[in-house]
Amino acid sequence: KAGVTQTPRYLIKTRGQQVTLSCSPISGHRSVSWYQQTPGQGLQFLFEYFSETQRNKGNFPGRFSGRQFSNSRSEMNVSTLELGDSALYLCASSLERAVNTEAFFGQGTRLTVV
Amino acid sequence: AQSVAQPEDQVNVAEGNPLTVKCTYSVSGNPYLFWYVQYPNRGLQFLLKYITGDNLVKGSYGFEAEFNKSQTSFHLKKPSALVSDSALYFCAVRDIGGYQFYFGTGTSLTVIP
């Protein structure tokens, strides 16, 4: 069974640009979450999608958005990039929305804003 | 509010010795606790979880964790460390309402040959 796939693996963007990251969850998994990982702030929750609907959102500005498609694939978009958006963005999929369910993470997309 | 704390940024252990990576938690309600490992330039890999039941949880790659309710701890252990265990380890708690993970700050484990 294929794992969580994130594309692209690496991105370099200029301040002010926008970027779209993609995530394909494990087949059959309906919940997709996104996390930002930085050396200073650690792992922080961005948002979660289930059945094409955003179910939960972390404390990030409106420049960060996402969506989920009918096949559970998800994209996140960051507009008007800032230097501080440089991070590893991780996507995680779970079979269900449940507290006792583990999540499986992709390898991440390393975004560098210059 | 849910949170976990990893008091040690760095743990060094000799190959073949037992290892412990510490985690304490603060939750309202029942805790749903997880351990993940991250290798360089990779995502997080699930090791084990505590939901309910036995306080000793066995997971992948020979790791286990001990849940202690009175000490609000969930320490990760392995009887005999391997050099390949060197990585960054994260403790996490699942939020009951929103289902997101709250992660600790991570502990870098180095196993010395």
Side-chain angles (χ1 to χ4, degrees), chain B residues 42 66 77:
Chain B
R42 304 294 295 270
E66 186 173 6
K77 298 174 186 285

Side-chain angles (χ1 to χ4, degrees), chain A residues 9-10 33 35 37 42-45 48 55-57 88 90 94 96-108 110, chain B residues 32-34 36 38 40-46 48-51 88 90 94-105:
Chain A
R9 289 290 312 277
Y10 301 93
S33 299
Y35 290 82
Q37 185 178 21
L43 282 152
Q44 293 188 290
F45 170 73
E48 183 223 353
R55 303 301 179 123
N56 195 8
K57 182 173 168 58
L88 181 66
L90 294 166
S94 298
E96 295 290 346
R97 299 192 80 224
V99 291
N100 61 349
T101 303
E102 60 270 29
F104 295 89
F105 286 77
Q107 294 189 68
R110 172 76 63 185
Chain B
Y32 297 90
L33 299 163
F34 297 76
Y36 282 85
Q38 186 177 35
N41 298 315
R42 304 294 295 270
L44 277 67
Q45 294 180 28
F46 169 72
L48 50 81
K49 64 182 178 182
Y50 173 82
I51 304 302
L88 190 56
F90 289 96
R94 266 276 206 196
D95 184 80
I96 295 173
Y99 302 115
Q100 74 268 33
F101 286 99
Y102 291 98
F103 287 93
T105 50

Side-chain angles (χ1 to χ4, degrees), chain A residues 57-71:
Chain A
K57 182 173 168 58
N59 189 25
F60 278 82
R63 301 185 296 106
F64 292 81
S65 63
R67 59 178 174 168
Q68 186 181 35
F69 302 94
S70 58
N71 61 358

